[in-house]
Amino acid sequence: MTSSPPLVPPPRLLMGPGPITAHPRVLQAMSQQLVGQFDPAMTGWMNDTMDLYRRVFRTANEQTFLVDGTSRAGIEAALVSLLEPGDRLLVPVFGRFGHLLREIGERCGAEVHTIERPWGEVFDVEEITSAVARVRPKVLALVQGDTSTTMNQPLAGLAEALAGDDVIVYCDATASLGGNELATDAWGLDVVTAGLQKCLGGPSGSAPITVSPRAVELVQGRRHVEAGIREDRDTARGTRIASNYLDLAMLIDYWGPRRLNHHTEATTMLYGARECARVLLDEGLDESVERHRLHGAAMLAGVQGLGLSVFGDQAHKMHNVVAVEIPDGVDGDAVRAGMLTDYGIEIGTSFGPLHGRVWRIGTMGWNARRDAVLTTLATLEQVLREAGAAVTAGGGTGAAREVYAG
Amino acid sequence: MTSSPPLVPPPRLLMGPGPITAHPRVLQAMSQQLVGQFDPAMTGWMNDTMDLYRRVFRTANEQTFLVDGTSRAGIEAALVSLLEPGDRLLVPVFGRFGHLLREIGERCGAEVHTIERPWGEVFDVEEITSAVARVRPKVLALVQGDTSTTMNQPLAGLAEALAGDDVIVYCDATASLGGNELATDAWGLDVVTAGLQKCLGGPSGSAPITVSPRAVELVQGRRHVEAGIREDRDTARGTRIASNYLDLAMLIDYWGPRRLNHHTEATTMLYGARECARVLLDEGLDESVERHRLHGAAMLAGVQGLGLSVFGDQAHKMHNVVAVEIPDGVDGDAVRAGMLTDYGIEIGTSFGPLHGRVWRIGTMGWNARRDAVLTTLATLEQVLREAGAAVTAGGGTGAAREVYAG
């Protein structure tokens, strides 16, 4: 017998920057029994999932599917498949995840150029387009919503401004998708990736991706078929993609009508990803964004109503997360521990230059809800008072209620 | 509203080469609610999972954890982290998954050397050691059980024979672990990876891995810390690993006491992987191997009792899968479709040189069971008869019953 006990998760309300509490429908879907990899039921669900995510990403891209890994696997699949060693990559960096794009680009052997904004700010579209004109990159890689700073980079108008350039635009929408507007085709984004653990209300472990026809063409130019699968192995074309697991050309063959064996699709994660999209589309994309806007506004008003300050350019904050400055003299980690221990509520810490300076409080997915917002504010008031902070009694829930009252 | 219906999997008994029907305890664990990434409950389960897989792999390796992807992600994490461009890699190839190791090694930029055996055979230990002496590779990469051929490569004695060499031994135990003996430390294997979807009775999507101290040292020599995480970013050491997502040095920092943020752990897959190990260890490793031996022997006897021939060197067959030759004049795909449509039972097709020549029938994990074996044989008899094959009435279940009767 094992010494470890059965898994009984403690009750938690996850109000950090993600992962967040999963939607019950998603967990129900993920408890379903498996079918075979090429079962007609399975390939039907794969096709169905492609269609659902086309709607989620607002795209007509045929090549819209899942990468079997966390959101970071989706990012790396995009960059390693698009970039050959020596290719120029431009990354506008305004938080931790911009650094990640730069880092992955470097590992791909790309010549990486960055422009940077201080944490808490975003770029003007003109700053990006002028950098593109200067650097002339093959790929422009951008984060839409960077949870490290809570900022949401405006992307509308970028493609029109870049129309004369031949740059492939990649966007990491992990933190923003479902809670903030994203229009892949209307905005001219070539490749967009996401994860389930933010506004989609699922667990980490599956990365939806969409790839435009011209990005597919680029990737297919580097396509190789694995030995031992078929006798008619393709001969080399272009520089082979450095990863097998994250090779988008092979993933396209696997998800497409050829169904060419690659990895064994992570069935349970597919069930979860499919249900995340169904939950979102049942509500409606616009309705989900509006819900995230409302509850994000209530949380923002609430923390301000408690007397706390917030970090960053609030005009460009994502709807689904707010960075709250830790008051002087208050131990940020002790407050987080108090929230978790006494109330079962998780709020987030932060990274890099913001470490120890802000908490990050999320209102996303299933937890972008009135009771979740009000409970977090009510309990945060108690914990802050116990920590010796000056807080306005009832100021948090009161301000949030005012937002809800319109 | 979405047009897609809720997910209701059709009833299936998955008797192919994997994925197989998941153990009910695993699905129950995977339906549990999420907790935060650094919640004490979560980090406790992570530590617990490391300990459980040390026992599964029969190792004392501190660095035993999960890679967040399918078994193929674990393979690539091992090879990309161990191999620098130009390093020599030796791969003994005796089936499709040997080709995969070669392929991934090539993508890592390694100088790849192979020795090959025809499909259906394994190597003598001396063939491998003499190739090591000739090639002097940095890494020797082997598949233990290759489902493409059903063969199980003997590994005991290999490390002793290689004692004078400084070669790092990597083993892909995806298909074999839990159903066939594997002794990481006793056999001197440095890095072993697996998946959940075979004898462990879970879904694809998580890759357990164990890494020996000397392999850890090698990997740590290539360690880099991501920008934007901490201010004290390490300066470059060794050649940076080409993948960020599959960088074992970063995964070790994430799973270790530093808990340095990397990906967001796939919580639900961790729940599943942990429960797979608990189910296996509750039964006992030796008991599980013996169960797979018994039901594999019954299935082998059963298909032979139906009058069918089997493919490959039966003295070196994995316990958990058998390759059955498709009789002349019988349409292999039609038989598989008949099994699925009329009986809800999946048996496997095959790849490469065996495509159209054999079916692969598995008895693994939760499905290494008497009723699963007997039902498969009873229904296969019917389908074969309908397909015009000469089959011995009652010969399959009869022969299997004899095995069970001892």
Side-chain angles (χ1 to χ4, degrees):
Chain A
M1 292 294 288
T2 62
S3 54
S4 65
L7 191 139
V8 181
R12 293 286 188 254
L13 179 63
L14 301 180
M15 302 298 284
I20 54 92
T21 314
H23 194 287
R25 275 177 53 183
V26 175
L27 295 179
Q28 286 161 9
M30 294 183 78
S31 72
Q32 298 299 308
Q33 189 48 275
L34 310 182
V35 299
Q37 189 177 5
F38 297 106
D39 192 301
M42 181 69 178
T43 53
W45 293 325
M46 289 172 76
N47 290 340
D48 189 37
T49 300
M50 294 174 84
D51 183 54
L52 290 165
Y53 277 96
R54 283 185 200 105
R55 294 164 63 191
V56 170
F57 282 120
R58 295 190 190 273
T59 183
N61 292 336
E62 172 66 21
Q63 299 308 336
T64 303
F65 50 92
L66 306 176
V67 175
D68 278 8
T70 72
S71 43
R72 180 175 292 235
I75 297 170
E76 188 162 316
L79 294 182
V80 77
S81 299
L82 293 171
L83 292 165
E84 301 192 28
D87 282 344
R88 274 197 296 279
L89 168 69
L90 175 64
V91 184
V93 176
F94 60 99
R96 175 194 168 190
F97 291 98
H99 284 298
L100 177 62
L101 299 185
R102 186 194 73 185
E103 223 261 23
I104 294 174
E106 288 170 1
R107 295 200 192 214
C108 296
E111 179 189 312
V112 184
H113 298 254
T114 57
I115 52 176
E116 292 204 35
R117 270 287 192 180
W119 286 35
E121 300 180 13
V122 296
F123 293 90
D124 292 332
V125 164
E126 300 74 45
E127 288 179 81
I128 298 172
T129 54
S130 70
V132 168
R134 189 176 70 249
V135 173
R136 305 205 64 76
K138 177 180 179 185
V139 176
L140 168 66
L142 294 138
V143 175
Q144 181 182 27
D146 197 315
T147 45
S148 69
T149 70
T150 75
M151 292 297 103
N152 185 357
Q153 172 62 48
L155 297 173
L158 184 62
E160 290 88 329
L162 291 174
D165 293 277
D166 201 27
V167 63
I168 297 278
V169 183
Y170 162 72
C171 174
D172 170 14
T174 302
S176 50
L177 185 66
N180 305 268
E181 192 186 356
L182 177 83
T184 299
D185 289 0
W187 293 354
L189 306 174
D190 287 288
V191 182
V192 184
T193 65
L196 307 184
Q197 74 274 18
K198 309 280 185 178
C199 302
L200 291 173
S204 174
S206 181
I209 186 171
T210 186
V211 189
S212 73
R214 69 174 186 156
V216 169
E217 190 180 353
L218 191 161
V219 165
Q220 294 284 28
R222 304 177 65 188
R223 186 172 161 278
H224 294 247
V225 172
E226 206 171 295
I229 295 275
R230 293 190 324 184
E231 292 304 282
D232 58 328
R233 189 184 186 204
D234 297 26
T235 51
R237 300 165 57 190
T239 305
R240 177 140 64 166
I241 292 166
S243 173
N244 172 296
Y245 188 65
L246 301 172
D247 179 330
L248 289 183
M250 297 176 89
L251 292 174
I252 286 169
D253 279 345
Y254 179 68
W255 281 80
R258 302 177 78 193
R259 298 278 172 215
L260 211 52
N261 195 250
H262 181 248
H263 65 287
T264 298
E265 181 59 15
T267 318
T268 302
M269 286 309 310
L270 176 109
Y271 290 178
R274 179 178 178 279
E275 194 64 18
C276 284
R278 291 182 73 251
V279 168
L280 176 58
L281 295 169
D282 279 352
E283 178 179 15
L285 284 175
D286 290 338
E287 289 78 2
S288 177
V289 170
E290 170 55 23
R291 177 170 57 84
H292 282 85
R293 188 205 59 73
L294 174 67
H295 297 292
M299 183 64 86
L300 172 61
V303 294
Q304 290 175 323
L306 284 170
L308 300 169
S309 300
V310 294
F311 170 83
D313 172 5
Q314 295 304 301
H316 293 102
K317 188 180 83 63
M318 276 190 283
H319 293 150
N320 48 305
V321 60
V322 60
V324 180
E325 294 187 0
I326 300 169
D328 286 343
V330 170
D331 178 341
D333 287 345
V335 167
R336 290 196 306 115
M339 289 291 287
L340 195 72
T341 306
D342 287 349
Y343 302 100
I345 299 177
E346 180 178 274
I347 64 172
T349 182
S350 49
F351 299 113
L354 294 181
H355 186 68
R357 286 185 50 198
V358 304
W359 297 298
R360 293 178 300 155
I361 304 184
T363 42
M364 53 181 100
W366 172 240
N367 287 352
R369 276 195 335 263
R370 190 172 185 275
D371 68 288
V373 169
L374 293 174
T375 304
T376 302
L377 291 167
T379 55
L380 184 60
E381 177 186 326
Q382 302 304 318
V383 175
L384 284 171
R385 186 176 294 113
E386 289 155 29
V391 284
T392 311
T397 56
R401 278 174 190 280
E402 279 180 33
V403 170
Y404 289 128
Chain B
M1 292 295 287
T2 64
S3 54
S4 65
L7 192 140
V8 181
R12 293 287 187 253
L13 179 63
L14 302 181
M15 302 298 284
I20 54 91
T21 315
H23 194 287
R25 274 176 53 184
V26 175
L27 296 179
Q28 286 161 9
M30 294 183 79
S31 72
Q32 298 300 308
Q33 189 47 275
L34 310 183
V35 300
Q37 188 177 5
F38 297 105
D39 192 301
M42 180 70 178
T43 53
W45 293 324
M46 289 173 76
N47 289 340
D48 188 37
T49 299
M50 294 174 84
D51 183 55
L52 290 164
Y53 277 96
R54 283 186 200 107
R55 295 164 63 191
V56 170
F57 282 120
R58 296 190 190 272
T59 184
N61 291 337
E62 171 66 20
Q63 299 307 336
T64 303
F65 51 92
L66 306 176
V67 175
D68 279 8
T70 73
S71 43
R72 179 176 292 235
I75 297 170
E76 187 162 315
L79 294 182
V80 76
S81 299
L82 293 171
L83 291 166
E84 300 192 29
D87 281 344
R88 274 197 297 278
L89 169 68
L90 175 65
V91 183
V93 176
F94 61 99
R96 175 193 170 192
F97 290 98
H99 284 298
L100 178 62
L101 299 185
R102 185 194 73 185
E103 223 261 23
I104 294 174
E106 287 170 3
R107 295 200 192 213
C108 297
E111 180 189 311
V112 184
H113 297 254
T114 57
I115 52 177
E116 291 205 35
R117 271 287 193 181
W119 286 33
E121 300 179 13
V122 296
F123 293 90
D124 293 331
V125 164
E126 300 75 45
E127 289 178 80
I128 298 172
T129 54
S130 70
V132 169
R134 187 176 71 249
V135 173
R136 307 204 63 76
K138 177 180 178 183
V139 176
L140 167 67
L142 294 138
V143 175
Q144 182 182 27
D146 198 315
T147 45
S148 69
T149 70
T150 76
M151 294 296 104
N152 186 356
Q153 172 62 47
L155 298 173
L158 183 63
E160 290 88 329
L162 291 174
D165 293 278
D166 200 26
V167 63
I168 297 279
V169 183
Y170 162 73
C171 174
D172 170 13
T174 302
S176 51
L177 185 66
N180 306 268
E181 192 187 356
L182 176 82
T184 300
D185 289 359
W187 292 355
L189 306 174
D190 287 288
V191 182
V192 184
T193 65
L196 307 184
Q197 74 274 19
K198 310 280 184 179
C199 303
L200 291 174
S204 174
S206 181
I209 187 171
T210 187
V211 189
S212 72
R214 68 174 187 155
V216 169
E217 191 179 352
L218 191 160
V219 165
Q220 294 284 28
R222 303 177 67 189
R223 184 172 162 278
H224 293 247
V225 172
E226 206 171 296
I229 296 274
R230 291 190 325 184
E231 293 304 283
D232 59 327
R233 190 182 185 202
D234 297 27
T235 51
R237 300 165 57 188
T239 304
R240 178 141 64 167
I241 293 166
S243 173
N244 171 297
Y245 188 65
L246 301 172
D247 178 330
L248 289 183
M250 296 176 89
L251 292 174
I252 287 169
D253 279 344
Y254 179 68
W255 282 81
R258 300 178 79 193
R259 298 277 173 217
L260 211 50
N261 195 249
H262 182 249
H263 64 288
T264 299
E265 182 58 15
T267 317
T268 302
M269 286 308 311
L270 176 107
Y271 290 177
R274 179 178 178 278
E275 195 64 19
C276 285
R278 291 182 72 249
V279 168
L280 176 58
L281 294 168
D282 279 352
E283 178 180 15
L285 284 174
D286 290 338
E287 290 77 3
S288 176
V289 170
E290 170 55 23
R291 177 170 57 84
H292 283 85
R293 189 206 60 73
L294 173 67
H295 297 292
M299 184 65 85
L300 172 62
V303 294
Q304 289 174 324
L306 283 171
L308 300 168
S309 300
V310 295
F311 170 83
D313 172 6
Q314 296 304 300
H316 293 104
K317 189 180 82 63
M318 276 190 283
H319 293 149
N320 48 305
V321 59
V322 61
V324 181
E325 294 187 359
I326 300 170
D328 285 343
V330 169
D331 179 341
D333 286 345
V335 167
R336 290 196 307 115
M339 288 291 286
L340 194 72
T341 305
D342 286 350
Y343 303 100
I345 299 177
E346 180 178 274
I347 63 172
T349 182
S350 49
F351 299 112
L354 295 180
H355 186 68
R357 286 185 51 199
V358 304
W359 298 299
R360 292 177 300 155
I361 304 184
T363 42
M364 52 182 101
W366 172 239
N367 287 351
R369 277 194 335 261
R370 190 172 186 275
D371 67 288
V373 169
L374 293 175
T375 305
T376 302
L377 290 167
T379 55
L380 184 59
E381 178 187 324
Q382 303 303 317
V383 176
L384 285 170
R385 185 176 295 113
E386 290 154 27
V391 285
T392 310
T397 56
R401 277 174 190 280
E402 280 178 33
V403 170
Y404 290 128

